[in-house]
Amino acid sequence: QSSAVKEVDLLGHSFGTAVASALARELASNSGGSGWEQDQSQDDRDPDVAVRRVVLMDPMCFLPGITKQAQLLRRTPRDLAAELVEEAAPGTPEPSFREVIAAVVSRPEPCCHLDDEVAAANERRRWVIFQTYFFFYFIFRDLVYSWMNLRALRGSEYLDRGHLRSMNSQGRLLTVLAETDTMIPAPLLRDDLSAEAPKESPGGVLWLPTVGHGACQHRQDVIERISEFLAA
């Protein structure tokens, strides 16, 4: 923090990354701005605040995630779960009714570290089933989804147009991704963001094998990596 400019760090998870993305863009616009930010009056802007670093966990603010989320809204969980299970654990049968109930009632372990590939494949399968049905019935139903939309964020406001990727290329962005996240195309984002980040950067991508959306909130290794990134 300098005497003239206050530097802030932004952290967001899931839909909260949309808020972080919109805020990062708004603060960046203080030095000139573009698009919708130009509609703000100069009096509403604070040129003395700048974003230093950003942490995104299970981010919803990158454009490739839109198609993934559209599937969750439009398809039945049984149909979608069968397809995603085949992607996560090829050659395994469709989830049975009993398996679905067991996965939803007994949430998969968010802190698992499995070296055995068979065990890891079974855990990925459980994560896919849990997420697919949990999101369908408890996240994307009209009442809850309407509540989310009341946050008044539109895609044009929060989807990254290059600002976050620019921060990533400067080593100022840390993105936490889970392998079996059914909300976003995690492997695609991992490849793109890892390739763009500096090799010796404290930021880049923290990849969580096997687990799914939300597991990062329960893991000590995630806390430690975020702390190191913000302290660097």
Side-chain angles (χ1 to χ4, degrees):
Q1 177 175 323
S2 68
S3 58
V5 179
K6 300 175 183 178
E7 293 184 325
V8 298
D9 297 325
L10 303 178
L11 291 82
H13 173 257
S14 191
F15 199 77
T17 63
V19 180
S21 176
L23 183 56
R25 184 188 302 173
E26 180 178 351
L27 292 177
S29 74
N30 292 345
S31 60
S34 61
W36 68 275
E37 297 95 337
Q38 290 182 333
D39 295 333
Q40 294 177 294
S41 67
Q42 187 66 34
D43 293 339
D44 293 333
R45 298 178 177 179
D46 186 354
D48 297 330
V49 178
V51 177
R52 187 181 72 103
R53 293 186 174 178
V54 177
V55 178
L56 303 176
M57 297 171 281
D58 301 331
M60 308 281 284
C61 54
F62 291 109
L63 190 58
I66 295 300
T67 56
K68 194 81 169 183
Q69 294 148 35
Q71 292 187 66
L72 295 171
L73 289 168
R74 297 294 182 182
R75 300 175 61 182
T76 66
R78 181 176 181 180
D79 173 47
L80 186 58
E83 180 178 312
L84 295 178
V85 161
E86 176 62 27
E87 291 180 3
T92 57
E94 294 184 9
S96 65
F97 178 77
R98 179 176 296 181
E99 187 178 12
V100 169
I101 296 298
V104 173
V105 172
S106 179
R107 187 186 66 182
E109 171 56 50
C111 301
C112 64
H113 299 278
L114 301 172
D115 296 326
D116 179 71
E117 180 53 35
V118 174
N122 289 333
E123 191 66 15
R124 283 194 293 269
R125 179 184 174 91
R126 291 186 62 218
W127 267 104
V128 166
I129 297 170
F130 168 76
Q131 292 174 98
T132 303
Y133 280 85
F134 184 85
F135 293 156
F136 185 84
Y137 286 108
F138 298 102
I139 301 298
F140 289 118
R141 296 304 84 209
D142 288 345
L143 181 61
V144 177
Y145 198 57
S146 295
W147 173 75
M148 290 174 63
N149 285 331
L150 285 176
R151 302 181 191 190
L153 282 172
R154 299 185 295 272
S156 59
E157 296 173 343
Y158 73 82
L159 288 173
D160 179 51
R161 301 180 190 174
H163 179 65
L164 292 175
R165 286 183 177 269
S166 176
M167 295 187 69
N168 182 57
S169 67
Q170 299 167 16
R172 297 165 55 207
L173 174 68
L174 173 63
T175 307
V176 182
L177 298 168
E179 181 180 8
T180 56
D181 192 332
T182 60
M183 295 275 279
I184 60 174
L188 175 62
L189 290 176
R190 175 193 60 178
D191 294 344
D192 286 350
L193 296 174
S194 296
E196 296 170 357
K199 291 185 178 180
E200 303 302 323
S201 167
V205 173
L206 173 57
W207 182 248
L208 306 181
T210 309
V211 298
H213 195 92
C216 59
Q217 300 178 82
H218 307 273
R219 296 176 59 125
Q220 184 64 32
D221 56 342
V222 174
I223 296 174
E224 293 174 356
R225 177 65 181 275
I226 291 176
S227 299
E228 292 173 0
F229 171 65
L230 296 179

